[in-house]
Amino acid sequence: MRLLDAARKFAGWADFIVIPSNAPHFFQDRIEEVSGLKVLSMIDITLQEVQRRQIKKVGVIGMGEPRVYHMPLDRMSIPHVTITSELRDRLDKSILSVMAGTDGPQEEAIAQEALAVLRAQDADGIILGCTEIPLLLKEHAHAPNLINPLELLAEAAVRYAIT
């Protein structure tokens, strides 16, 4: 796996690793093992924010099924909801459009629809579990009930680096 190879190379050059993508955190323990470096966990930082905000029911959206959040939320006994597979497929295509640089108002509307579905399910906090979703949402990405894991990770990396 290229991520593990890269982590091995960083071992001599870095004090810690920041992975600005949600899914690779499934392999966090393995990355730490092969590199000997601490990986700042985007997932742990996000879940700490859920607890800090005392969110009772969490909405989670991401690329594909956001199991990287569902599994720890289950272990923490925090109820969570997500969107239908049909809407998730449309959101995934919108995310791919961001990656390709071809997103527009239609893709933003799909992301907004996903948020509306989660809010209708009484989610009092929503994890934006894919780093492209805030780009889709544009200025709406800063709504008070949204949690942006990438933003939290960036802040945590700065804190970790200066301590």
Side-chain angles (χ1 to χ4, degrees):
M1 172 182 226
R2 290 188 297 180
L3 182 59
L4 295 177
D5 291 338
R8 280 186 198 97
K9 289 179 184 176
F10 288 137
W13 304 334
D15 296 321
F16 63 99
I17 297 174
V18 175
I19 303 171
S21 179
N22 291 275
H25 288 277
F26 270 127
F27 308 104
Q28 178 177 332
D29 291 343
R30 182 74 178 122
I31 295 166
E32 289 178 338
E33 178 185 317
V34 301
S35 70
L37 295 170
K38 175 174 180 49
V39 175
L40 292 186
S41 172
M42 178 183 258
I43 308 308
D44 292 347
I45 292 164
T46 300
L47 296 173
Q48 290 167 6
E49 182 67 8
V50 167
Q51 290 179 313
R52 186 191 72 73
R53 292 187 191 188
Q54 299 180 344
I55 295 173
K56 303 297 181 216
K57 188 175 189 181
V58 181
V60 185
I61 54 175
M63 179 75 157
E65 183 68 34
R67 288 186 296 271
V68 70
Y69 286 103
H70 290 175
M71 294 166 59
L73 286 167
D74 285 342
R75 286 192 297 272
M76 297 167 70
S77 299
I78 297 175
H80 53 87
V81 293
T82 192
I83 56 179
T84 65
S85 59
E86 182 275 328
L87 180 53
R88 185 173 46 252
D89 289 344
R90 292 191 293 128
L91 181 61
D92 287 353
K93 288 177 184 169
S94 296
I95 291 167
L96 291 172
S97 293
V98 170
M99 292 177 184
T102 60
D103 59 302
Q106 180 179 352
E107 288 78 16
E108 181 182 352
I110 292 167
Q112 289 288 353
E113 180 183 349
L115 295 180
V117 165
L118 295 173
R119 288 174 177 139
Q121 294 179 67
D122 297 323
D124 54 333
I126 299 171
I127 296 172
L128 306 178
C130 180
T131 55
E132 285 77 15
I133 294 173
L135 300 174
L136 279 171
L137 293 171
K138 298 180 179 33
E139 68 273 0
H140 303 290
H142 301 289
N145 70 332
L146 300 182
I147 300 172
N148 182 341
L150 184 58
E151 188 175 284
L152 295 172
L153 180 63
E155 293 167 355
V158 169
R159 281 192 306 274
Y160 192 84
I162 62 175
T163 58

